[in-house]
Structure formats: structure tokens, C-alpha cells
Amino acid sequence: MAFCEVSQDQSPGTPAAAGDFGFKVLTSSDPAEKTKKLSAELANGRLAMMAIIGMFFQDGLTGSAWGDWANYTASPLRAFENELGVQAPVGFWDPAGFTADGSVEDFKRRRQTELKHGRISMLATMGYITPEITGKLPGYLSPSAGLKFADVPNGLAAISKVPAAGWGQILAYMAFCEVSQDQSPGTPAAAGDFGFKVLTSSDPAEKTKKLS
């Protein structure tokens, strides 16, 4: 590896800096064809980087890069394979290994946080794209400041336009959501149930499907 790195000048402007080390396999005398092949090499290289990391991860879990997850019964991750959100084709997905210690308490705390962040992100996504599609509300966002809804740009640029009192209202509502209901372990709120029933069902299987 050291020989490959130091045996050729790779300073900016040299052929090696552009990936040309004199090993000609996928080359061509036609510039367009050569460009096409080099682009393919970059694309395949990126896929290969993802693939080798995936194989390392799989090997660490099952003992083989082609291991059968169903046969790997000793994993702490088995403790969570029947939880909500475990869906085909990835099954229980924890690429960062947060649940590797098998701690149920930590899992439930992270799941509670994931539910909140997921809901906020869904609302934020709709809030980001809806004005682009449907337009702005009529009238004033802040009559005292002379600020109309139409004056507020879409996306992140809106942050600088909302008055300080508006941010105060937003933060107050966030605080209300956090403290108005007991969220200690074992409570309905700890499982994401705040009494706001939209995607529910009297059929347990259907309810599980919707929650997933």
C-alpha cells in the first residue's frame, strides 16, 4: 500500500492526481468512450465502497458476509426484532449499532425520541412544500409588524422573517407539548400516545400496520 502511494507523483495537475497510474484496462482512444468508461468506474467504485462496508457489517452480525440472519440467534438485536417499525426487506435496521448492548431501557428511550423526531420531520416536510404548491395564506402574519404571509419566503429563508414574538409562541407550544403529559417509562406518552388519534383503528393488526 505504501509503495502504491509513494511510487508515483500524485500532486495536483499530475496524471496520478486524476487517477491515471499507467495501468490501462478500461481505456480507449476515443475520448467520448474513455470518458464513459471512467464515469462507469467512478459509479462502480462508489457502489463498491457501500458494498464492502455492508459486507463488513453483515460479517460482524452473522459471522459471514453472506450470513443468514435467521440463523444468528445470539445477537442482542433479537430482543427488538418484533418491535414496531421492523419491516421487510431490512428487518430490524440499526446500522450504527445503538442497540448492540441489548438494553431495553435505552431502546425505548430512543424509540420515543425517534417517534417525536419523525412526526416533527413529517410536519416540517409538509410545511416546507405546501406553500410552494398551494400558495400562502391571505392576510397578515403579524399586523403590528405589517408582515403579510405573502412576505414570508419559503424554506429556511422564512426563519429570519418570523418576529421574535412568533418564535416565542412556537417555543411556548413546544414546551407545552413536552410538559403537559407524563412521559415517564411505561406511560402511554412514552410510547408516543398523546391522545391525538388520527391513524388509529379498532383492529389490532390494522393499528399495528398504521403505527409501523
Side-chain angles (χ1 to χ4, degrees):
M1 289 165 62
F3 170 77
C4 291
E5 285 296 316
V6 303
S7 63
Q8 195 162 342
D9 182 14
Q10 300 182 45
S11 57
T14 61
D20 183 357
F21 290 90
F23 184 63
K24 306 294 187 183
V25 178
L26 297 176
T27 191
S28 173
S29 57
D30 178 2
E33 182 67 18
K34 182 179 179 182
T35 298
K36 176 182 175 183
K37 289 184 175 182
L38 289 173
S39 294
E41 182 187 19
L42 280 170
N44 291 342
R46 290 166 178 169
L47 285 170
M49 287 188 283
M50 294 294 293
I52 192 62
I53 294 301
M55 293 171 77
F56 286 157
F57 186 72
Q58 177 80 353
D59 193 13
L61 285 178
T62 68
S64 168
W66 310 104
D68 184 353
W69 170 245
N71 294 331
Y72 192 62
T73 57
S75 173
L77 303 183
R78 283 293 184 191
F80 312 115
E81 65 178 358
N82 294 318
E83 294 287 342
L84 279 171
V86 178
Q87 302 174 66
V90 295
F92 183 76
W93 194 67
D94 179 25
F98 287 125
T99 57
D101 59 359
S103 171
V104 175
E105 181 181 353
D106 287 345
F107 173 82
K108 289 183 175 179
R109 177 178 57 80
R110 293 190 182 104
R111 172 50 53 82
Q112 182 180 0
T113 303
E114 180 186 26
L115 279 169
K116 287 184 181 179
H117 290 176
R119 290 168 176 172
I120 290 169
S121 295
M122 286 188 283
L123 288 169
T125 301
M126 291 307 300
Y128 205 108
I129 67 176
T130 299
E132 297 274 4
I133 298 172
T134 64
K136 308 290 178 60
L137 293 170
Y140 286 86
L141 170 65
S142 175
S144 61
L147 181 66
K148 295 181 179 180
F149 285 104
D151 297 331
V152 180
N154 295 334
L156 294 175
I159 293 175
S160 63
K161 299 296 183 182
V162 178
W167 282 112
Q169 294 173 51
I170 293 170
L171 292 172
Y173 180 67
M174 290 167 59
F176 169 76
C177 292
E178 285 295 318
V179 303
S180 62
Q181 194 163 343
D182 181 16
Q183 300 181 44
S184 57
T187 60
D193 182 357
F194 291 89
F196 184 62
K197 306 294 187 182
V198 178
L199 298 176
T200 191
S201 174
S202 56
D203 178 6
E206 183 67 16
K207 182 179 179 181
T208 298
K209 177 184 175 183
K210 288 183 173 183
L211 288 174
S212 293

